[in-house]
Amino acid sequence: MSETDGRSPATVPERQARDRRAGEVEPTKAEPARSSTQPPVWTARMLAALARGITGGKWYSLIDKLYPEPTLRAAFAAVAANRGAAGVDHVGIEHYAANLDANLARLSEALRTDSYRPQVIRRHYIPKPGSQQMRPLGIPTVQDRVVQTALRMVLEPIFERDFAAHSYGFRPNRGCKDALRRVNELLKSGHVHVVDADLKSYFDTIPKDRLLALVAGKVADRRILALVAAYLEQSVLEDGQHWTPEQGTPQGAVISPC
């Protein structure tokens, strides 16, 4: 949602100050918002660097923040809380949890030694609300969802600080109620126009090369970039056939909305 009343767009600091006056919560620059299960992936030193800005504007060493077992354990807790179905390996959350210590130890070692490879995505269709069409979902394996969640924990604070103050979708500690509170505030202040727009098949049509370039603009760790690229290039299993989408990110993947 954006505000248009004929005036020049407010700068980011101006919007943030205005939001605070309106009573909205905005994550601070020095301490990015975290979920309740997120471990201290970001150390005090990293948070300080994030707040003041790093030399060159890029992060060069992040993979060692992703593969430690405490990070993966917290990521699994988040995956388990979201529930979800099994992927192509038919390993559900309960099955994975039954031997969690060994599974996470193997996964940590695979990530550390660069031998981890994402598995094929299982294609599943669900009804699209308000339409007779079906929405395609890509269901990664539980293990891949764990790694994607850990990857999000590492990357999210870097990009979160640059997002628009009035963006509420797929943001930490934000949701529909926050957007509704903002709408109520705008109505009370005299705004009367609403623009409702939707991009058809947005996730399915995101240009992969442009997306990778945007991530690489802030992240220089080649192994992290390789993980992001690997998820973009995952093949899909549908009706017994394997195929690889030429563009887009799979709806249903943890990092797709990020």
Side-chain angles (χ1 to χ4, degrees):
M1 181 184 68
S2 62
E3 305 164 38
T4 55
D5 55 6
R7 295 172 294 183
S8 298
T11 64
V12 171
E14 287 171 345
R15 291 199 307 268
Q16 291 166 346
R18 187 175 60 204
D19 289 346
R20 285 191 289 272
R21 289 195 297 270
E24 291 194 8
V25 177
E26 177 73 8
T28 64
K29 296 303 183 187
E31 190 172 34
R34 295 177 179 174
S35 68
S36 59
T37 58
Q38 184 169 333
V41 174
W42 281 75
T43 64
R45 182 178 180 181
M46 292 174 67
L47 289 172
L50 183 66
R52 67 174 179 265
I54 59 173
T55 303
K58 290 189 178 183
W59 293 85
Y60 284 86
S61 181
L62 292 172
I63 190 67
D64 60 323
K65 308 299 185 296
L66 184 145
Y67 60 68
E69 289 185 41
T71 301
L72 297 177
R73 188 173 299 277
F76 173 77
V79 170
N82 287 331
R83 305 162 95 180
V88 294
D89 60 358
H90 305 292
V91 175
I93 291 173
E94 291 184 0
H95 188 179
Y96 196 88
N99 198 20
L100 186 61
D101 289 345
N103 285 333
L104 294 184
R106 283 194 296 268
L107 181 57
S108 175
E109 180 65 10
L111 289 165
R112 187 185 68 81
T113 59
D114 205 22
S115 59
Y116 163 80
R117 298 292 182 273
Q119 292 182 266
V120 176
I121 293 174
R122 181 168 68 88
R123 175 56 59 90
H124 177 67
Y125 288 88
I126 61 172
K128 190 174 183 178
S131 171
Q132 295 184 343
Q133 297 179 342
M134 301 294 285
R135 183 189 301 276
L137 289 183
I139 303 178
T141 64
V142 171
Q143 176 168 273
D144 286 346
R145 299 205 298 269
V146 169
V147 179
Q148 288 185 19
T149 301
L151 183 59
R152 185 192 67 198
M153 289 176 174
V154 171
L155 293 179
E156 191 170 64
I158 296 173
F159 295 93
E160 174 66 22
R161 61 183 281 113
D162 293 329
F163 290 158
H166 301 310
S167 173
Y168 298 95
F170 305 106
R171 300 280 300 280
N173 299 331
R174 284 170 168 252
C176 292
K177 291 183 179 179
D178 300 296
L180 289 173
R181 279 192 285 269
R182 181 58 182 164
V183 169
N184 186 54
E185 175 68 24
L186 291 171
L187 289 173
K188 288 181 178 179
S189 67
H191 290 78
V192 294
H193 295 94
V194 174
V195 177
D196 183 12
D198 186 22
L199 299 178
K200 184 177 181 181
S201 301
Y202 172 70
F203 283 97
D204 297 329
T205 57
I206 295 175
K208 297 180 182 180
D209 55 346
R210 292 176 61 187
L211 177 58
L212 277 172
L214 288 171
V215 176
K218 290 184 176 294
V219 176
D221 188 321
R222 62 174 183 81
R223 294 174 65 183
I224 291 291
L225 294 175
L227 271 179
V228 175
Y231 288 128
L232 290 175
E233 295 300 328
Q234 278 179 283
S235 60
V236 175
L237 177 63
E238 182 176 8
D239 297 330
Q241 301 293 321
H242 287 244
W243 61 282
T244 302
E246 294 182 0
Q247 59 183 358
T249 65
Q251 296 186 56
V254 175
I255 60 171
S256 289
C258 301

